């Protein structure tokens, strides 16, 4: 991707065996397994929920309702999708319901409002779909050799989180699901009711905004 955001290793991107073990633990009411799962996914779930609802408080409510539904429904989970895809499907359904109540559901059927023109980074700076890591930097950032640059990297993580939260709702949801949760393009399209083209546009715009934000921050440091 165009920034340092990367998919979670655990428990957001489990292998098949790991996922089955996690599901078994949840069914056995293993509190530590549940706590770890919540801790790993809560921030991204709130970002996605916030794309549909009017306030942080309602987004928190949506996430809490989702976890309650997960606990109640884990016995019926049949592994037809990954566990976290199933969790996000529940989340988005609940977020849409709350959004409809607020009369402000955000349409994911289009890449943006008519006439929207957001500046983007030159596509040549990213790897293409034919490369090993589509969407990632074609040229990695220069290594940070000085101690103060290493300290700056911690600040950049914080800035990246802020920049992600500042993205428009649809871009934030797509970037969060693709680049933080590691969901595939097809899953994201299905969850957010997006065409493949709209998903690509939103992902590119979101990644471009994040990169511009980080570049400006580093250059000013």
């Amino acid at each position: 991707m165009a920034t340092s955001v990367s998919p979670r290793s655990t428990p957001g991107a489990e292998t098949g065996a790991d996922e089955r073990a996690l599901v078994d633990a949840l069914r056995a009411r293993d509190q530590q397994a549940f706590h770890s799962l919540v801790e790993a996914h809560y921030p991204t779930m709130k970002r996605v929920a916030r794309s549909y609802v009017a306030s942080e408080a309602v987004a928190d409510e949506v996430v809490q309702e989702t976890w309650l539904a997960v606990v109640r429904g884990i016995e019926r989970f049949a592994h037809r999708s990954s566990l976290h895809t199933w969790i996000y499907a529940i989340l988005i359904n609940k977020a849409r319901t709350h959004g409809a109540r607020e009369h402000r559901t955000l349409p994911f059927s289009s890449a943006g409002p008519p006439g929207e023109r957001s500046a983007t980074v030159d596509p040549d700076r990213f790897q293409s779909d034919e490369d090993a890591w589509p969407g990632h930097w074609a040229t990695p950032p220069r290594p940070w050799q000085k101690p103060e640059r290493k300290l700056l990297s911690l600040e950049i993580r914080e800035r990246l989180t802020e920049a992600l939260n500042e993205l428009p709702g649809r871009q934030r949801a797509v970037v969060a699901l693709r680049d933080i949760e590691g969901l595939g393009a097809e899953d994201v399209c299905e969850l957010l009711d997006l065409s493949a083209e709209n998903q690509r546009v939103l992902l590119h715009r979101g990644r471009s905004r994040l990169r511009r934000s980080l570049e400006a921050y580093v250059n000013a440091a």
Side-chain angles (χ1 to χ4, degrees):
M1 101 156 236
T3 69
S4 58
V5 176
S6 60
R8 301 183 187 281
S9 56
T10 57
E14 302 88 357
T15 66
D18 289 341
E19 180 173 281
R20 289 185 179 276
L22 176 58
V23 170
D24 288 344
L26 295 175
R27 287 172 174 165
R29 299 299 188 259
D30 184 324
Q31 293 186 4
Q32 183 58 46
F34 180 73
H35 175 76
S36 297
L37 189 65
V38 171
E39 188 176 58
H41 290 285
Y42 199 102
T44 304
M45 291 173 70
K46 184 173 178 179
R47 290 188 186 103
V48 174
R50 187 66 177 82
S51 302
Y52 291 88
V53 300
S55 68
E56 297 289 325
V58 176
D60 276 322
E61 183 178 347
V62 168
V63 176
Q64 291 167 13
E65 289 181 4
T66 299
W67 285 119
L68 182 58
V70 168
V71 170
R72 289 174 173 171
I74 193 64
E75 295 293 341
R76 299 188 299 275
F77 176 65
H79 296 279
R80 286 191 289 267
S81 66
S82 69
L83 177 64
H84 58 311
T85 298
W86 178 69
I87 291 172
Y88 277 97
I90 295 172
L91 173 81
I92 290 169
N93 284 334
K94 290 188 175 296
R96 283 173 172 159
T97 298
H98 278 271
R101 290 173 187 165
E102 296 174 336
H103 304 290
R104 70 175 302 275
T105 301
L106 296 177
F108 278 87
S109 57
S110 62
E116 178 182 292
R117 293 292 184 270
S118 56
T120 59
V121 177
D122 184 349
D124 289 341
R125 299 179 69 179
F126 303 101
Q127 293 191 34
S128 70
D129 291 340
E130 289 73 35
D131 293 319
W133 300 98
H136 288 241
W137 292 6
T139 302
R142 65 183 184 275
W144 294 352
Q145 298 175 345
K146 297 181 180 180
E148 60 268 24
R149 301 296 289 181
K150 294 181 180 179
L151 291 175
L152 181 61
S153 69
L154 300 177
E155 297 178 10
I156 286 181
R157 290 192 181 202
E158 295 180 0
R159 176 56 197 152
L160 179 57
T161 298
E162 293 173 0
L164 181 60
N165 290 334
E166 291 166 0
L167 290 177
R170 289 166 291 182
Q171 293 177 19
R172 182 171 64 247
V174 172
V175 171
L177 291 174
R178 287 294 309 277
D179 293 330
I180 297 179
E181 291 303 318
L183 269 63
E186 291 184 3
D187 285 336
V188 173
C189 288
E190 181 176 355
L191 285 170
L192 302 182
D193 193 22
L194 284 170
S195 70
E197 177 61 24
N198 285 343
Q199 188 268 160
R200 284 194 295 270
V201 170
L202 289 167
L203 183 62
H204 175 68
R205 288 179 175 175
R207 286 171 169 174
S208 297
R209 285 174 181 246
L210 290 178
R211 175 159 184 163
R212 288 200 308 275
S213 177
L214 292 186
E215 284 184 332
Y217 183 84
V218 170
N219 291 338

